[in-house]
Amino acid sequence: MQKPFRIKIRVPGTSANLGPGFDIMGLALNIYNEFHFEFSKNASFASKLTTGENLPFEKKDDLVFSSYNTYFQKFIPGKEADPYDVTMKLALPLKGGLGSSASACVAGFLAGNAVHKKRYPDFPIPAQKEILLELAKIESHPDNTTPALLGGLIFA
C-alpha cells in the first residue's frame, strides 16, 4: 500500500420516472449524501455513519463496497481493491426513493476511479460512457445513476 490518502465524494439525490419520461427521465436534486473515504494500510472496508453508528445492513448489502469492487473487476482486472474506511453523512432516506442506492453505487465507482488514477496509471481510465453503462448495470436504473453522476435533468 502506498501513501494514505483521503477523498470526499458528494452525490446528489435523484428523482426518476418523471412524468411522461417513465424510466428514461431522471433529475438530480439539491440534497446530497457525502462519503468520506480514507485509503490506508490499516483500512478494513469499515463503513459507518457520521453519528458513529454502523450501517443498518450487512456488508453483503453494502452498495458502496460492492460497486467499488465491481469497478476494480471491470476496469483494473487482476488488481486487488485497495482497502478503505468510509464515513457517510446521509441526507437521503435509505429506502423510499430519492436515489440513495444510486448515490451509493456512484460513490463506490468514483472511489474506485480515484484509486485507479492515483495508483494504477498503467491501466486505461474508462470513458464516462463506460462508467455510466456499468452503473446502469449495477443499479438497474440509469434514470437514477446518470443524474447522480452527471447532475441535471437527464434522459437515459
Side-chain angles (χ1 to χ4, degrees):
M1 163 77 43
Q2 298 175 7
K3 185 178 176 183
F5 73 99
R6 294 178 180 166
I7 60 170
K8 174 183 160 185
I9 297 171
R10 192 170 175 237
V11 184
T14 59
S15 183
N17 301 321
L18 299 174
F22 299 108
D23 282 341
I24 64 165
M25 205 159 131
L27 177 68
L29 304 172
N30 196 18
I31 183 171
Y32 299 87
N33 279 347
E34 289 182 7
F35 303 84
H36 300 262
F37 288 87
E38 183 171 337
F39 298 88
S40 72
K41 66 179 179 179
N42 298 326
S44 62
F45 294 107
S47 299
K48 65 180 179 180
L49 301 174
T50 53
T51 60
E53 298 172 74
N54 292 324
L55 296 175
F57 46 79
E58 296 179 35
K59 181 59 96 185
K60 68 178 180 63
D61 298 320
D62 184 342
L63 290 174
V64 174
F65 177 73
S66 62
S67 297
Y68 177 77
N69 282 299
T70 297
Y71 182 96
F72 268 76
Q73 292 165 6
K74 180 70 182 174
F75 300 116
I76 318 171
K79 296 292 183 184
E80 190 172 323
D82 291 31
Y84 65 76
D85 291 326
V86 63
T87 302
M88 303 176 201
K89 182 178 180 181
L90 303 179
L92 305 175
L94 287 176
K95 294 185 178 185
L98 297 184
S100 63
S101 61
S103 81
C105 293
V106 168
F109 251 60
L110 291 178
N113 189 258
V115 171
H116 186 167
K117 290 175 181 175
K118 191 165 190 77
R119 302 205 200 264
Y120 301 103
D122 294 343
F123 286 82
I125 303 298
Q128 188 177 66
K129 67 181 180 180
E130 294 173 284
I131 290 174
L132 288 168
L133 175 62
E134 293 305 317
L135 284 169
K137 288 179 184 177
I138 291 171
E139 219 268 331
S140 301
H141 295 283
D143 53 338
N144 273 325
T145 55
T146 303
L149 182 66
L150 302 178
L153 175 64
I154 301 292
F155 290 87

